[in-house]
Amino acid sequence: MKRILVTGATSGIGYELVKTLTGKGHSVVATGRNQAKLEELSEQTGCQSIQADLSDAQQALELVGKAVEHLGGLDVLVNNAGMNSRKCGIEDFTLEEFDYQYAVNLRAPAVLSREALKVMKPAKSGQIINVLSTVAKRSNETMSVYTAMKQGLAGFSAILMKEAQPHGIKVTSLFPGGADTNFREVDRPQYMHPKSVAETIAVLLELPQDVVMHEMVFRPPVEVE
């Protein structure tokens, strides 16, 4: 079984992912900003938890080290945390929104990947899973800042894959389509359930040792592109 750090674990996909992974016997550290939700998740699953605000660079820098202390090592990092403050035209976004989305959606997963790489390289094994979005494959009006950050992370993840490969470390970029989470302003029952997305992510840990999924795009049946 693997030692896993999951970010963005207090709601939606991350919450379900922790339940799925612990249900399969993995040792998991869940992290997020909501301490009450983390405690609830720990009670349900037996996972360990670390409260952290990934918009704070120092907290992001320290998170991997804390997870390693809790787990006794680190086999898998799942960069799931992400946010989109609102939809708006390019002329309407604020500098505060831009900086916050940069901190959470791009800087934090990049820093966490860097720190995880330092831990995994000596072990000559490990896996980093970056949860992006199909917005990184498209150009949707009113989604400029979020799209820019996710496309930036996609580019970073592609280079991470090449630099990690010689050290036996697998890197996967995931591009999920619409999911019915509280990320959205209204319910979308026709979209993927967070549990379905979590189970899809968990499959990556069960692939044969000689297989790596570099990229995976998956959507609900109502989406075709």
Side-chain angles (χ1 to χ4, degrees):
M1 292 296 103
K2 297 182 182 296
R3 298 163 294 182
I4 305 170
L5 170 61
V6 177
T7 69
T10 54
S11 64
I13 294 167
Y15 195 85
E16 293 294 336
L17 182 59
V18 172
K19 291 197 291 185
T20 298
L21 293 174
T22 53
K24 292 178 177 290
H26 298 295
S27 297
V28 179
V29 165
T31 185
R33 291 179 299 169
N34 190 322
Q35 181 62 38
K37 277 288 188 182
L38 288 174
E39 291 174 2
E40 176 186 305
L41 191 56
S42 294
E43 289 177 7
Q44 284 187 30
T45 68
C47 74
Q48 300 184 68
S49 66
I50 301 171
Q51 184 183 30
D53 182 351
L54 295 184
S55 69
D56 183 318
Q58 191 60 38
Q59 291 186 48
L61 277 168
E62 295 172 354
L63 183 56
V64 167
K66 290 180 177 179
V68 169
E69 289 180 9
H70 280 66
L71 295 168
L74 184 66
D75 302 309
V76 182
L77 165 65
V78 183
N79 277 314
N80 168 72
M83 57 79 62
N84 183 26
S85 50
R86 65 187 175 114
K87 294 181 178 182
C88 69
I90 288 174
E91 71 274 17
D92 293 326
F93 76 76
T94 68
L95 290 178
E96 290 78 13
E97 288 172 326
F98 190 98
D99 288 346
Y100 191 71
Q101 286 212 48
Y102 160 71
V104 175
N105 293 334
L106 180 52
R107 184 180 68 194
V111 167
L112 289 167
S113 295
R114 185 189 74 179
E115 296 305 299
L117 207 58
K118 295 176 183 177
V119 175
M120 294 174 180
K121 268 188 175 183
K124 291 291 183 182
S125 69
Q127 190 165 7
I128 298 173
I129 299 170
N130 290 320
V131 181
L132 297 125
S133 167
T134 50
V135 301
K137 302 283 190 181
R138 307 171 70 177
S139 301
N140 295 334
E141 295 93 335
T142 74
M143 298 281 280
S144 60
V145 178
Y146 182 67
T147 300
M149 301 310 163
K150 289 297 187 179
Q151 287 185 350
L153 182 56
F156 175 89
S157 191
I159 294 170
L160 175 65
M161 178 266 290
K162 290 187 176 181
E163 294 191 7
Q165 186 272 335
H167 304 280
I169 301 164
K170 298 180 178 182
V171 176
T172 302
S173 298
L174 293 182
F175 298 86
D180 187 19
T181 70
N182 57 4
F183 191 84
R184 301 180 182 278
E185 296 176 356
V186 296
D187 290 341
R188 290 285 189 268
Q190 72 274 34
Y191 284 177
M192 295 181 292
H193 190 281
K195 183 178 180 181
S196 300
V197 178
E199 290 176 352
T200 302
I201 295 172
V203 168
L204 295 170
L205 306 185
E206 299 171 5
L207 295 176
Q209 186 58 38
D210 58 348
V211 174
V212 56
M213 184 77 73
H214 288 156
E215 288 191 5
M216 184 165 68
V217 179
F218 57 105
R219 297 182 169 96
V222 295
E223 289 183 348
V224 293
E225 63 176 29

